[in-house]
Amino acid sequence: MYRQVCLFLALLLALSAGMVRATLDLRAQQDQVTFTETRAYVRTEAPEGISVAMKVNYDSHLYWDTLCRMGGEPAGESTFRFNQTGRGSSTRVRYDTGWSGAYLESNYSMTSSGSDLTEDEDRSMMLRCAIDVASRTAPGETRKETVRVTDYYDYYYLQYHLFSRQMEYLVDDRSQEQLNDYFRIPVLPEHTLTITLTKNGEGKVVELESRTNLELQIDLYAASDKESVYFTFAPSFIVIDPDSEAWQQRRQPVDLSHVKGGAGIYRVTQDNETGSLKIDNVFPFPDDGIEASHLSISAGLDKLLLFTKRENDLLMQAIDKSGTVLQELTFDTPERIVSGVYVNECGVLAVFDNARFSFLTEEPDGYHERIVSSLLIQAEDGEPFDLTNNFSSFSSVGDFDWDGRRLAVAAAKSVMMHGDSETMYTLAVYDETGPLYCGDYTNSVLTGAQLQKTYNRLALTAPLDVRFD
């Protein structure tokens, strides 16, 4: 036993020494961070006059603030600091990209064992149906029933997540009830659940399976200013074959006549004294409806930017806070699905699902489209640069800038660095003719972490910051 304890302590000491050595090796680079362009595509010009600032941390203790200046060989500057407590390293969100959302608080299709059916049956709608079936199931018996959801509920219960621009959560249990009372969506008469459950000899439910014949899908698009959250949602029913669980692409419209304010863009503001929500429809949709694709807000927080599908077109409407349409702009793109809209002081970057994007600038007379191009850039080595992967977390790690002629986009694939990656970020430069340059970059901090096999402790502390000098 003594020998085993000594062996364990020796192993623990070796592991600790390895971690200390890795930390010291990385810390030794505090004043000598170097940057490397790992591969590049250059059509007409290198990225002269552009700098990318990046903040990274190792295990929330070692922090580097780096600045890479482009042009010729990338030249870097860096500062280093040590944080003994290991706190305060969470990455902030730069772009308001609609963190708010709503979904149906019920797992209609599920299989579980050892279920005691004690969850909140008002919020998990399947449970009330399962409790009823269980009441007709004898101990030691397995029972299968198909029930209609309308026998138990009149309206679907949604779970809302609404965040302010400061990422403050605006919804508590009471305001959840308030939102569900306001936005009522009737349960479809044809909505059924097929429930199979088994009780043991003591009468306890030990197995539960539920299958649904349709799903309520909620596409909620939201933006926020300093006081309120604005959102519109596009609910639809998706029909499912309960036997094969094959999702059919047949959608059914949702009855919104029970929503107190009708369809439109809603403003939700929290009363600081009472905690209750004030709900207003600031932009009612016409009777023939609008198929929303995205909602954002201008850099000055004074205009809503509503993206909608209209016949074969994708439109953007600039709407003031009173609900007046100031401008309507049509995009020339066959893909009418918007995957992300990013807004800063220099313009609006709208990314579509077909790997294309549109960049607009805001002028005194409205928004003007400056660049339309692709996020897929053919590189000299034959393998294209695919910036679509970098936009999955662009709000947390990316940035863009405009100098009146060129658009620079800097993006990383995620907050965390990965051991198999040779890239910390990608920089792309465009003008109205298309991509001018695209390059992948790394630095010696990532290389050192990879050598020490500790890359999973390396993360971005803040979004990238790209600027024209």
Side-chain angles (χ1 to χ4, degrees):
M1 181 65 182
Y2 174 78
R3 182 180 180 183
Q4 289 176 331
V5 171
C6 290
L7 184 61
F8 172 75
L9 291 175
L11 179 60
L12 183 61
L13 182 62
L15 289 173
S16 301
M19 283 301 301
V20 170
R21 184 174 62 254
T23 301
L24 291 175
D25 288 344
L26 284 171
R27 191 171 180 178
Q29 304 180 46
Q30 56 184 287
D31 297 320
Q32 52 184 4
V33 176
T34 57
F35 293 83
T36 305
E37 179 186 73
T38 58
R39 70 185 187 117
Y41 159 83
V42 181
R43 180 166 69 89
T44 59
E45 58 185 87
E48 299 284 348
I50 301 174
S51 62
V52 179
M54 180 174 60
K55 299 176 184 292
V56 296
N57 75 86
Y58 177 84
D59 200 26
S60 300
H61 289 288
L62 310 182
Y63 288 80
W64 290 267
D65 294 350
T66 66
L67 181 69
C68 181
R69 298 186 184 280
M70 308 301 168
E73 289 295 324
E77 303 172 5
S78 64
T79 59
F80 171 84
R81 71 182 188 278
F82 174 72
N83 186 332
Q84 185 172 1
T85 62
R87 297 176 181 176
S89 63
S90 60
T91 303
R92 69 181 186 273
V93 174
R94 168 175 286 139
Y95 295 106
D96 177 28
T97 56
W99 291 92
S100 299
Y103 60 89
L104 195 62
E105 181 71 358
S106 181
N107 192 358
Y108 282 135
S109 294
M110 62 165 290
T111 301
S112 69
S113 59
S115 176
D116 58 5
L117 304 182
T118 58
E119 297 181 41
D120 189 340
E121 62 182 77
D122 289 325
R123 297 192 176 186
S124 189
M125 296 177 65
M126 180 275 297
L127 286 176
R128 185 179 295 182
C129 308
I131 290 171
D132 184 44
V133 174
S135 69
R136 295 187 290 276
T137 305
E141 179 183 273
T142 297
R143 187 179 187 88
K144 181 178 181 178
E145 277 191 33
T146 298
V147 300
R148 292 190 178 276
V149 181
T150 51
D151 292 338
Y152 305 89
Y153 299 96
D154 296 321
Y155 303 99
Y156 292 101
Y157 191 94
L158 302 180
Q159 189 75 14
Y160 289 87
H161 294 269
L162 301 179
F163 293 92
S164 71
R165 199 167 187 84
Q166 290 75 34
M167 294 298 291
E168 296 173 343
Y169 191 48
L170 299 184
V171 183
D172 56 17
D173 289 344
R174 183 177 61 173
S175 48
Q176 288 285 2
E177 300 296 334
Q178 184 182 353
L179 288 164
N180 273 277
D181 182 63
Y182 193 99
F183 298 100
R184 291 185 172 183
I185 299 178
V187 175
L188 284 184
E190 61 268 32
H191 191 177
T192 62
L193 297 180
T194 299
I195 295 175
T196 305
L197 59 84
T198 300
K199 286 185 176 180
N200 61 15
E202 299 175 354
K204 181 180 179 180
V205 176
V206 293
E207 290 187 6
L208 171 64
E209 181 182 85
S210 176
R211 294 290 178 263
T212 183
N213 68 334
L214 60 86
E215 287 282 357
L216 174 61
Q217 178 173 305
I218 305 292
D219 294 324
L220 188 144
Y221 308 105
S224 58
D225 59 18
K226 295 180 180 179
E227 296 84 23
S228 307
V229 176
Y230 297 83
F231 73 87
T232 184
F233 60 93
S236 60
F237 290 106
I238 301 177
V239 180
I240 303 170
D241 181 346
D243 295 324
S244 66
E245 290 193 353
W247 288 69
Q248 303 177 19
Q249 295 302 313
R250 181 167 67 86
R251 293 176 179 265
Q252 295 180 209
V254 174
D255 179 12
L256 296 179
S257 63
H258 295 258
V259 176
K260 293 181 179 179
I265 299 177
Y266 282 88
R267 177 175 55 213
V268 177
T269 307
Q270 187 177 51
D271 188 309
N272 294 328
E273 294 183 0
T274 65
S276 63
L277 301 179
K278 181 181 180 182
I279 306 171
D280 300 299
N281 188 343
V282 297
F283 185 68
F285 289 170
D287 294 338
D288 58 352
I290 287 179
E291 188 176 0
S293 183
H294 205 86
L295 182 66
S296 190
I297 197 165
S298 64
L301 306 182
D302 58 340
K303 290 181 287 292
L304 297 172
L305 306 178
L306 174 65
F307 293 77
T308 61
K309 304 173 188 177
R310 199 80 57 84
E311 297 180 352
N312 296 321
D313 294 325
L314 175 67
L315 283 75
M316 185 191 82
Q317 292 175 301
I319 306 164
D320 68 15
K321 299 292 186 68
S322 68
T324 301
V325 177
L326 305 175
Q327 181 187 3
E328 190 171 278
L329 187 149
T330 301
F331 294 96
D332 183 17
T333 174
E335 180 58 68
R336 298 183 301 140
I337 300 177
V338 180
S339 60
V341 177
Y342 310 94
V343 181
N344 65 20
E345 294 76 10
C346 71
V348 177
L349 186 64
V351 180
F352 310 124
D353 266 12
N354 60 352
R356 294 187 66 79
F357 72 87
S358 175
F359 173 71
L360 306 92
T361 60
E362 185 178 6
E363 309 295 339
D365 61 341
Y367 288 92
H368 295 266
E369 194 171 49
R370 301 297 185 185
I371 295 176
V372 178
S373 194
S374 176
L375 296 174
L376 296 174
I377 302 175
Q378 188 63 43
E380 295 173 353
D381 60 6
E383 182 181 354
F385 289 91
D386 185 357
L387 272 71
T388 57
N389 295 330
N390 299 58
F391 274 86
S392 61
S393 56
F394 191 81
S395 61
S396 299
V397 299
D399 193 25
F400 63 94
D401 196 20
W402 168 253
D403 70 351
R405 183 180 69 87
R406 297 176 299 169
L407 173 70
V409 180
K413 289 185 179 180
S414 69
V415 172
M416 302 298 297
M417 299 293 108
H418 299 286
D420 58 351
S421 175
E422 297 180 355
T423 304
M424 296 192 83
Y425 65 86
T426 300
L427 173 69
V429 183
Y430 298 84
D431 70 2
E432 61 181 8
T433 66
L436 303 175
Y437 169 87
C438 191
D440 287 337
Y441 289 83
T442 188
N443 69 27
S444 53
V445 177
L446 175 61
T447 304
Q450 288 173 327
L451 291 174
Q452 299 297 335
K453 305 296 184 184
T454 56
Y455 46 80
N456 61 328
R457 296 172 178 267
L458 194 64
L460 290 171
T461 311
L464 299 171
D465 190 352
V466 60
R467 290 290 180 267
F468 285 98
D469 298 334

